[in-house]
Amino acid sequence: MDPKTPYENSSNFESFMFNSPSRRSAMSIQSTSSGRNNSAREVSFGHSGSKPVRYGSKGADSEALSMSQKEISDEDARLVYVDDPERTNERLEFAGNSIRTAKYSIFTFLPRNLFEQFHRVAYIYFLVIAILNQLPQLAVFGRGVSILPLAFVLLVTAVKDAYEDWRRHRSDKIENNRLALVLVNGQFQEKKWKDVRVGEVIKISANEAIPCDIVLLSTSDPTGVAYVQTLNLDGESNLKSRYAKQETQYKLPEKERLNGLIKCEKPNRNIYGFQGNMEVDGKKLSLGSSNIVLRGCELKNTNWALGVAVYCGRETKAMLNNSGAPSKRSLLETRMNSEIIMLSFFLVALCTVTSVCAAVWLKRHKDELNLLPYYRKLDVSEGEEENYEYYGWGLEILFTFLMSVIVYQVMIPISLYISMELVRVGQAYFMIGDSRMYDKATNSRFQCRALNINEDLGQIKYVFSDKTGTLTENKMEFQCASILGFDYSSAKSSLENEQVEYSVQVDGKVFKPKMMVKVNQELLQLSKSGFANEEGKQIYDFFLALAACNTIVPLVVDTSDPMVKQIDYQGESPDEQALAYAAAAYGFTLIERTSGHIVIDIHGEMQRFNVLGLHEFDSDRKRMSVILGVIDKSLNTDILQATETHLHSYSSVGLRTLVIGMRDLNASEFEQWHSAFEAASTALIGRGAMLRKVAINVENNLCILGATAIEDKLQQGVPESIESLRTAGIKVWVLTGDKQETAISIGYSSKLLTSNMTQIIINTNNIESCRRRLRDAHVMSREQMAVPGVTHNSEGSLDAVTTPLALIIDGSSLVFILDNNELEEKLFQLASRCSVVLCCRVAPLQKAGIVALVKNRTDDMTLAIGDGANDVSMIQMADVGVGISGQEGRQAVMASDFAMGQFRFLVPLLLIHGHWNYQRLGYMIIYNFYRNAILVLVLFWYVLFTAFTLTTAINEWSSMLYSIIYTALPTIVVGILDKDLSKRTLLKYPQLYGVGLKHEAYNKKLFWWTMADTLWQSIAVFFAPLIAYWGTTVDVASIGDLWTLSVVILVNLHLAMDVIRWNWITHAAIWGSIVATFICVMIIDAIPAFPGYWAIFHAAGTGLFWLCLLGIVIAALLPRLVVKYIYQYYFPSDIQISREAEKFGNPRDNGGGQIEMLPVSDGPPR
């Protein structure tokens, strides 16, 4: 089957449809008629949305057909016998309805949790160290002490995981023990949800949740319609219609046994699709997505519904989709791994030096070993000569190497991982509480759904944004109409336009639509003329289409006045709601909708239209059709040209356009369509493709009635936000399903496009044309890259300045580009030269393909932001995904890493919190490396002066507490609370965001400078006391305490030198840690069982001890202080200049009003 064939019969209309309407907006009205008393009109509209296929979107129809064949083939089908669960599951192959979202059980928690935690290689490293220390030959520290640090980290993580899993267990228990009415022996009895089985008939009452996936059999509505809310499933609060088959609607299971067989597809994750058929009374009925209600939905506005369970428990679509967003790791943590590898090599080098030196020492002193206490070769205490604590030269070297690894183990900071987690939690707390990111309209705060990538927010280079609902409000407002070639635009008669509250009388009560719409008075008068003239007939058909062809469910809502009711139109699309309210404002009020008919009040006259057939919307046809039984009328006006002109004028000012048309069918054409429709509806194989073909065959040769224009206003602050992001060096790409003219207009109004930009437009329909346009675009971009411009330097010479480029490309071109590696590379090279990229008419997977295009070819960080289900693939593909909790449900939020209410919140999120998070985490990682390395180097210097025996002067308990009590808290507090610049400065100068783009807070150069400083500080710490106490009788424990206190004071003062914003918590953490160290050392030395009893009290009683402490601090920190002063005074960065301006109120030199920032340069592609 060639999917292109049906389009060839309607090429005129298709050309018009695809070039003018915007996303989800092309509308047509098609009429069928066979005679005066047997007439039917077809009303249809098509949404030009995107079909979810491969990135290039090729071969969609053939893939869909083969998929449907595979899903419904006999070997892959599921057989469900209605009200016969034993026969249905006689082979025990179907799951029960008990669900489990918890990860662990009592028996599996310990092994599985430990297995998951040891995925971190550093944990395995520390486990090996702890095991080595248990061997008598290698025991450097106490056996218990060596295990404590790793055990503490594992315990904290395990407790957190256990608490989270306990909450999941509790939730599962509540869910599984809910009650449902199940048909047992002809009577409905209460059963726990976990005991429901496939094949059982279930009765659901109003406002109850659905316990499993059920196929509807009957409902309280005579027409078989049931309204469900899918809020728990996909986040959408609008009601959706589901239908029971008429053949089962009137069967009462309490009075007669239901006999039927359902043959359906096997369990899958597609919550929007279902294929199957049901045999009842010898008749085969087709089943589709409108006949199934999924677990997690709630029954609304329907008294009761009966259904048969087809998928239970873990096989329900909701549970199959319960996998969560993909796990992401931050760029900073990934880069940190390379430094950890370097430190590992450095650790090996220290161990090698120690073992080699020990080998040389043993060779030189081999004749003296019998006389040395730790190396006596011979033991004659028992009268016989035996080897004593000596294993030979080779093994001694090996043991020395392994003991060195144990002693120097803290070179790899185990506490860094848990510290980073705690800091991220603290950062998330302040992001959630930021009033700048609180949306009053929806009463929603910022959500931090992924705690492991906070710092990535400070390194974003590319922002990929949806337009509708993300840049715009997605609250549609009817603005213009083009009917019979006449433009009834609100802009032309704004003084006449006013919001009209239209009401209808039903059974003595007044019904008013919930939303008022601004109307054109001239058009309103014409709509009331009825069939008085030809013009009135066309306008009648036009508004009938708006009222009838949609999925709107009218809900009646009570008001304070019992005689006045409100009609609330619930629909799956804001466009549909806007059109339905517009039709009501012009006197065509939708009152009731069932599966068999709709009721519309037309200027006070209630009319019922039988729904003879329905073609649901799909992204291939970009239309929806409904067949209605109406009064016969003729149609002979051709207004295509005028309507097309109006469409272009509407879209050029950013309005969303919709096309209205209709067609007459004679009796034979109607019968031909009806038979084909019935055959396709009951098909077992390829039903979707067949229905699509039937719809396309009837949706052609349309006569255009007119068009509508809907305004989707920009959200507050969008232009300013985009300008700030671009000033910060972030490239903003907009990916939308709208047509080119609409997207460009929104681009200008949002300041994405500017008048000085050179636009490169690529919109082709074949691969050769696409290749040629890309080649021409490359030439143009090179010509525009450097154009002479006026310089700002003091000499007044001419410099080359870059002319900004804007690339505008449509989805049809991307079809060819994203399926061709050569064209992909050319597009990337072209896009990397452009300041702005605007993609129009793109499919959901094309959005993900564009993100992958950049992500796979550069090291730059990407962020995707969107609000709808069509943005999920893009959000999950990007390094950081942000969901907007808007009008299109919460699918994007549920798939995102962060969620918020408005696009403008992206500015404080990136420029403030992103900057702070990156600066803090970057400094914290470097500081942790320094903090641990200085202790290791002090131990190393001591080994060199003690015959390489790997004894330690620092008490083993102090070594363990060093990373837990002595120095852990200050770095966590600073990582959460410190701020290098204020919010006001960061927002005023977006260029400061370039710190993250240039990796200034964490890079290899900074790492090596820090290691050099660490080396000097370790020398100062070790050799100052050594020289001061040389020749004295001081014991090892006393000088060891001096080294301990020196290192702790030094690393805390080092941290204090870098703190920018002091508060009482920071003071308490830093100075409190020093005090806590003194207390701990005194407690340890006051315990007689520990070596070095009372050592600190003897040493601290002398003036030399305190003089050494002071000298160490001065000698160690003085070089750092001098270098820092020279660097900040003579080579200040943007951050330092801004900080100075913040402190003194103006820049450093002359108090000028503006700070000139260094430009944020683009890094080269990978």
Side-chain angles (χ1 to χ4, degrees), residues 683-752:
L684 303 183
I685 298 177
R687 181 188 305 160
M690 294 175 67
L691 281 171
R692 187 160 53 249
K693 182 178 179 181
V694 172
I696 292 172
N697 285 337
V698 78
E699 293 167 347
N700 57 51
N701 299 325
L702 298 172
C703 180
I704 302 302
L705 290 174
T708 64
I710 298 174
E711 181 181 12
D712 188 9
K713 293 181 179 179
L714 282 176
Q715 290 183 9
Q716 178 186 350
V718 165
E720 296 80 5
S721 300
I722 290 178
E723 189 174 21
S724 293
L725 293 176
R726 291 179 57 200
T727 306
I730 300 173
K731 292 187 175 182
V732 181
W733 293 25
V734 173
L735 318 178
T736 178
D738 281 349
K739 60 178 296 188
Q740 181 177 304
E741 292 87 348
T742 304
I744 290 176
S745 175
I746 293 294
Y748 277 112
S749 60
S750 64
K751 292 188 179 179
L752 184 71

Side-chain angles (χ1 to χ4, degrees), residues 17-32:
M17 288 279 284
F18 286 101
N19 290 336
S20 55
S22 57
R23 185 173 71 90
R24 292 188 296 188
S25 49
M27 180 175 281
S28 61
I29 297 183
Q30 301 165 324
S31 173
T32 61

Side-chain angles (χ1 to χ4, degrees), residues 331-332 335 455-461 727-730 859-861 915 918-919 989-1006 1127 1132-1137 1156-1164:
L331 179 63
L332 205 59
R335 289 177 179 270
E455 60 272 24
D456 283 348
L457 294 170
Q459 304 170 83
I460 300 299
K461 181 63 179 177
T727 306
I730 300 173
D859 289 328
D860 294 325
M861 298 294 292
H915 174 85
Y918 168 71
Q919 290 284 97
Y989 303 108
Q991 301 95 320
L992 294 169
Y993 185 78
V995 171
L997 298 177
K998 292 180 283 189
H999 308 294
E1000 290 185 8
Y1002 185 84
N1003 53 61
K1004 282 184 170 57
K1005 179 182 177 182
L1006 191 59
Y1127 179 76
S1133 66
D1134 290 341
I1135 295 288
Q1136 291 151 2
I1137 295 172
E1156 183 176 350
M1157 297 290 172
L1158 298 174
V1160 182
S1161 58
D1162 293 341

Side-chain angles (χ1 to χ4, degrees), residues 9 171 392 475 509 514 624 814 863 866 902 1014 1144:
N9 297 331
S171 175
K475 293 180 180 178
K509 294 183 179 180
K514 183 179 179 180
M624 172 185 172
L814 290 171
L863 179 148
Q902 297 280 329
T1014 305
F1144 299 106

Side-chain angles (χ1 to χ4, degrees), residues 357-414:
C357 290
V360 173
W361 190 91
L362 286 173
K363 278 292 183 183
R364 286 184 176 180
H365 299 82
K366 62 181 179 179
D367 297 331
E368 304 170 25
L369 297 181
N370 283 337
L371 306 176
L372 297 178
Y374 294 105
Y375 286 106
R376 264 185 304 196
K377 283 186 176 181
L378 302 178
D379 178 13
V380 292
S381 60
E382 302 294 332
E384 297 180 6
E385 295 184 357
E386 293 181 359
N387 288 338
Y388 175 75
E389 291 190 4
Y390 186 77
Y391 302 96
W393 185 73
L395 283 178
E396 285 292 333
I397 295 172
L398 175 62
F399 290 158
T400 300
F401 182 88
L402 294 176
M403 290 168 68
S404 301
V405 174
I406 297 172
V407 172
Y408 306 147
Q409 61 177 295
V410 290
M411 179 67 78
I412 311 297
I414 188 174

